[in-house]
Structure formats: structure tokens, C-alpha cells
Amino acid sequence: MKAKVKILDVYSGRYSVFINAEEAQKAKLHPDDLVKIESGKKTVFGSLVISDLVGPGEVGVSRDVLQLHNLAEGEIVGVFPAGIPESVRYIKKKMHGEKLRKVEIEAIVRDIVDRKLRDIEISSFVTALEINGLDMDEIAALTIAMAETGDMLDIDRKPIMDVHSIGGVPGNKTNILVVPIVAAAGLTIPKTSSRAITSAAGTADVVEVFADVSFSLDEIKRIVEKVGACLVWGGALNLAPADDITIKAERALSVDPTGLMLASIMSKKYAMGSQYVLIDIPTGRGVKVETVEQARSLSRDFIELGKRLGQYVEVAVTYGGQPIGHTVGPALEAKEALTALMTGKGPGSLIEKATGLAGILLEMGGVAQEGNGKRMAREILESGKAWEKMKEIIEEQGGDPNIKPEDIPVGDKTYTFTATTSGYVTAIYNRAITGIAKAAGAPEDKGAGLELYVKVGEKVKEGDPLFTIHAESEARLDQAIVFARRTEPIRIEGMVLQRIGNI
């Protein structure tokens, strides 16, 4: 059928094409059918919505579609059923536990990027990977396909370093210290980061408090070639675009298939041209990888995948049993990270992890001798060189290089929890801490989050403050208080844990 384009001012969260019931009946189309819009040599795919938002002879497109395709109001286009893509058969093959060939994986990824696969089919693919997994041949093929269906960055400064944490630990603002330390040593480190998926603040959420994080590839190339580093949001780029689409399905299903996680991380490193990659795997109770044995197994996968991509990969298995530093939430973490850079001092967990990771990168990049990297990283931090480099990064990313931590506003609606008994802190539960910060409004509300006053092993007295919740509204604060009371995020016990009588 021929129809006139009507641009609808709606974001559906999916790629939606709207026609009215009369036209749908004539064209034998049904809700959620895959349809294609043809305009000259351009073909646009979307899921069908039957709606009275459009009249006879019209086809409506959501704003989501316009992010990918330039359609004009009133333009005459063809609207046709698209049929079922061949890649659906390959998804069913993986659902049955069979191994996929390289060409089949490429077809799936290409159809995800072209929006030929609908949400339900992408969710089926993600579920199949969660249940049946991928072997290393499949992971390597998936990684390359995800990278090559997007843009690739070519930076002239070499070698190119990169660091990535698989996440799971609240307060992980570590890379905001690592990047300027490494760049101050003369290495190149273009760091793209995600926004929070399940956490209270991703690195991009924290950096956005004091600098812009959304840039084009050309702008990133200019920034990095000038100052040697950047801290930007990867989602603003067309790097491995299939990854951003599958993440939505992972979030909805609350799953994170190992093979897909490997491909997700390494495809973006491959697209950024990274030659030396350090993977941080936090390990401990309440994070994605709970045991050292699991971490070692995952480490081997990262290293093997790196070899297949022509990248040198090392892995740091790090302690993840409690939050890093004393803050959780974008603005609070920004204050803590900038304070550490300005003064060269900060919470032991933050400084120890940041200099440890930066030290490995300095050794990988050949500017520090083996075994001397951490000491060199600490010297760069304590000398102020890392802060000077960070000021350059902030200025190039449109922020104020003279910013002071106290200039950053945080949520002014607060509530402090205190110890109800004396004893020792025996556990701080990561998931509960993250849940409290999110209930308070993080990461969307930049000033929301919490400040921790204690760490595991510390002695407390009844009435001592344990943590303060920050929120930007009373309603959010109340939600966070209720969540905190329900979850008991901090456990305090005496030295006598249990008394057992004579049986």
C-alpha cells in the first residue's frame, strides 16, 4: 500500500509503525507484525501498531524510527509486510542447543541492528544464550559481528590502552582515577563507559556531573589525540549498536548471559581500536562473580577472546565484597573521586584499587617495569599530575577545569541510619546498598545516593551513624528509608556470634 508519512511525537521505546484499523484490515496486517517502509532505495523496518492516531492513507512513525532514518512529513512511501527473517530460524536453532555458524551469527546481529527482529525475537535470542550458552568460536564471531555492524574508531596515538569493570560493586568510581593516571604517564586511553544498567551509577553517570559525556566519534578522536584520554558515554556512539539493543532485553529479563557479556564488552574495545585491555572482575558476595574460581574461569575466556581479536588482555580479580569508597550515587561519587584526584588521598579501598589497576596498565603499556607499576601510579596521583590531566580532560569535554568538589550539589533531603546495637560490622550487602540508592532516585537524580560511614571489620557503638541517604525529593527519601528498613544493608554482631548449649 502507498501512504503518506505522519511523524508522531511519541517515543515508544521500540521501532513502531502506525496505521489505522481500516488500512490494516485491507492489507491483512495484524498488531506487532513486522512491516517495512520503502522510500526510494531506503527501507525502514518496524513493529506494527494499529491506532487512530493516523487516518486512512497515512502511516505514522515514532520518534524512535527517526533516530535512525530520515523520513519527511507528508512523504509518500510504500508500506508492506516484511515476513519472518531467516535469522529467526537461527535463533530457534540456538534455542534447541545447537551451535551457530559464523554466517548465522552475522545474520542475527545484522537483523538486530536493522530492526528486522522484534523485541520478542531478541528476548528469545538472549534467553537461548542464557540457557544454552556459546562456545568460544561463537563468542568470537558474535564479538566481531557486533563491532563491524557499527562504527570503528581509528586514533593515531599508539599504543591504545583500555580498562573495563564487569560491574556489580556499588561506588565503583575507580576508573575516574585510573584514566587520568594512565594518561598522565603518556599512554593513550579513550575510555567509553556505560550508564547504569542495574547499578546506582555508571562511570558515565558520574562524569556527567562535571563534564559532557556525549560526543561523536570525530569529537572523541580530537579530544584523545589532544590530551591522550577521554571519559565518555558509549551509548551516544554507534559502537556495536546490537549491544545496546540486546541490553534492553537483558535488563527486562534480569539475565546477563556470559557469552553475550564477553561479546558486549570486547566488541566495544575492538571498535575503539584498543590494543591492550585490562578487565576488572570484582569478586565476592553480592556481585556478578562470587568466587575466585569463577573469576579465574571467566578470566581465561577474556584472554582467549582477546587473542582471537588480536588484542592483549590481562585480568585483575579484585575484592568486591563491599562498596568501594564511602559514596554511592552520581554526585556523591563525583565529589569523592575529584577529592581523591585533587589531594592524592581518599578512602583506602578507592586509592588501593585505582592505583592497582592503573599500575597494571602502566606495566602493560611499557612505561613502568614489572612490579613497579602500582608505586608509579601512586606517585602520579600524589604528585598532582593525575589531577592536572583530569582538568585537561574536563576542559576538552566542556566542563569547568577549576571545579571544586564542594561546588557539586547533592540531594538535600537526608536521613541518617544509626547502629541499634554495639559490636562489629560483619557484612555490608552490595545489592541492598544499590537498592537504597536507586530507591532514593539514583542515577536519574544526580544528587541521590548515600554516604557510608563504616566498613566491614570496624567497631561501632549503639547510636553511631552508619549511613546517610540523600534524595532530591521527600517522596524519594521516604521510599529509600522504607527499602533500607526492609533489607538491613549493614549487619552488626558481637564477637560471640552464637551460643550453643549442652544437648
Side-chain angles (χ1 to χ4, degrees):
M1 60 176 270
K2 291 289 185 182
K4 185 189 301 182
V5 171
K6 181 178 182 180
I7 296 172
L8 302 177
D9 193 20
V10 296
Y11 284 93
S12 62
R14 55 196 299 198
Y15 291 80
S16 300
V17 173
F18 298 75
I19 63 174
N20 70 13
E22 181 183 337
E23 297 284 12
Q25 188 173 18
K26 284 194 289 186
K28 305 299 182 186
L29 291 170
H30 305 93
D32 212 34
D33 276 356
L34 182 68
V35 297
K36 60 182 178 180
I37 297 174
E38 293 185 350
S39 173
K41 295 182 178 180
K42 178 169 56 185
T43 303
V44 179
F45 293 89
S47 296
L48 183 67
V49 178
I50 298 174
S51 169
D52 58 6
L53 289 172
V54 293
E58 292 181 327
V59 56
V61 293
S62 64
R63 291 283 178 184
D64 312 76
V65 172
L66 297 181
Q67 291 176 333
L68 281 182
H69 303 284
N70 185 24
L71 292 171
E73 181 81 23
E75 180 181 352
I76 302 300
V77 296
V79 182
F80 308 98
I84 298 173
E86 178 69 12
S87 59
V88 171
R89 186 164 66 85
Y90 308 146
I91 292 172
K92 289 180 180 177
K93 181 177 175 181
K94 177 50 69 175
M95 290 170 70
H96 294 144
E98 298 177 50
K99 179 173 178 172
L100 296 178
R101 295 181 296 133
K102 182 174 180 287
V103 292
E104 294 170 336
I105 290 171
E106 289 170 345
I108 292 170
V109 172
R110 190 166 51 249
D111 285 352
I112 289 173
V113 173
D114 291 342
R115 271 60 179 191
K116 288 184 182 179
L117 291 176
R118 297 164 295 178
D119 291 349
I120 192 167
E121 291 152 348
I122 296 169
S123 296
S124 298
F125 179 56
V126 170
T127 303
L129 300 189
E130 173 72 9
I131 295 170
N132 295 314
L134 295 165
D135 68 16
M136 191 51 67
D137 290 337
E138 292 173 303
I139 294 170
L142 180 60
T143 304
I144 294 170
M146 289 172 75
E148 292 184 346
T149 48
D151 293 332
M152 309 280 280
L153 183 63
D154 182 21
I155 295 172
D156 293 335
R157 292 177 55 146
K158 300 288 191 298
I160 297 175
M161 319 300 292
D162 212 334
V163 60
H164 183 89
S165 173
I166 69 167
V169 185
N172 193 11
K173 74 284 292 179
T174 314
N175 285 334
I176 298 174
L177 278 66
V178 171
V179 169
I181 290 172
V182 172
L187 294 173
T188 304
I189 180 163
K191 179 74 181 104
T192 60
S193 305
S194 64
R195 297 191 187 276
I197 300 173
T198 58
S199 69
T203 300
D205 298 306
V206 179
V207 175
E208 194 173 40
V209 170
F210 53 82
D212 295 336
V213 295
S214 297
F215 297 94
S216 68
L217 276 182
D218 286 342
E219 289 169 330
I220 289 173
K221 182 179 172 70
R222 179 192 62 77
I223 292 168
V224 174
E225 290 183 350
K226 182 174 181 180
V227 300
C230 66
L231 282 156
V232 300
W233 176 44
L237 307 168
N238 190 38
L239 296 176
D243 178 48
D244 297 312
I245 299 168
T246 56
I247 280 174
K248 291 180 182 178
E250 293 177 78
R251 186 188 293 123
L253 295 166
S254 295
V255 298
D256 192 10
T258 300
L260 188 54
M261 178 188 70
L262 285 157
S264 167
I265 293 168
M266 296 300 286
S267 63
K268 292 193 172 178
K269 306 306 172 194
Y270 186 73
M272 289 294 289
S274 303
Q275 298 164 294
Y276 297 89
V277 180
L278 175 61
I279 302 295
D280 165 28
I281 303 182
T283 306
R285 181 173 53 189
V287 295
K288 293 178 181 178
V289 179
E290 297 206 338
T291 70
V292 173
E293 290 73 23
Q294 290 174 315
R296 285 177 179 152
S297 175
L298 187 56
S299 298
R300 288 190 290 270
D301 289 339
F302 271 113
I303 291 167
E304 173 60 26
L305 181 55
K307 288 178 182 176
R308 295 186 182 219
L309 300 175
Q311 297 170 314
Y312 179 77
V313 176
E314 288 195 21
V315 177
V317 179
T318 58
Y319 173 67
Q322 61 179 326
I324 297 168
H326 297 300
T327 59
V328 179
L332 289 161
E333 291 187 43
K335 288 170 74 77
E336 188 169 60
L338 292 183
T339 299
L341 284 165
M342 286 182 69
T343 65
K345 301 175 183 177
S349 56
L350 175 60
I351 301 299
E352 179 73 15
K353 182 169 181 178
T355 55
L357 294 177
I360 295 171
L361 285 164
L362 296 179
E363 293 177 17
M364 290 170 68
V367 296
Q369 293 181 344
E370 188 173 345
N372 195 44
K374 185 176 179 181
R375 185 178 65 81
M376 182 178 178
R378 186 176 284 273
E379 287 174 356
I380 292 171
L381 177 63
E382 292 177 349
S383 70
K385 291 177 182 176
W387 173 235
E388 290 304 315
K389 179 56 67 174
M390 188 61 170
K391 288 167 69 175
E392 292 178 27
I393 295 169
I394 291 171
E395 185 169 25
E396 290 302 316
Q397 292 187 203
D400 178 5
N402 298 312
I403 189 171
K404 295 179 175 59
E406 55 268 27
D407 297 334
I408 297 172
V410 298
D412 59 353
K413 309 297 188 292
T414 64
Y415 184 89
T416 299
F417 277 79
T418 58
T420 57
T421 185
S422 298
Y424 291 84
V425 177
T426 58
I428 299 178
Y429 296 103
N430 285 327
R431 290 193 179 101
I433 293 294
T434 296
I436 294 166
K438 291 179 72 173
E444 290 82 4
D445 296 343
K446 296 294 187 187
L450 55 85
E451 288 182 88
L452 282 166
Y453 304 122
V454 297
K455 284 297 185 82
V456 172
E458 293 183 3
K459 185 177 181 179
V460 297
K461 295 181 293 185
E462 183 179 348
D464 282 353
L466 299 178
F467 61 93
T468 295
I469 302 171
H470 289 260
E472 295 183 1
S473 72
E474 293 288 354
R476 282 290 201 173
L477 180 63
D478 290 343
Q479 289 177 24
I481 291 169
V482 169
F483 189 97
R485 286 177 173 155
R486 193 172 70 237
T487 54
E488 189 197 14
I490 297 176
R491 175 171 291 179
I492 298 169
E493 297 176 304
M495 292 304 291
V496 178
L497 301 180
Q498 190 175 10
R499 179 178 177 179
I500 300 173
N502 188 10
I503 299 174

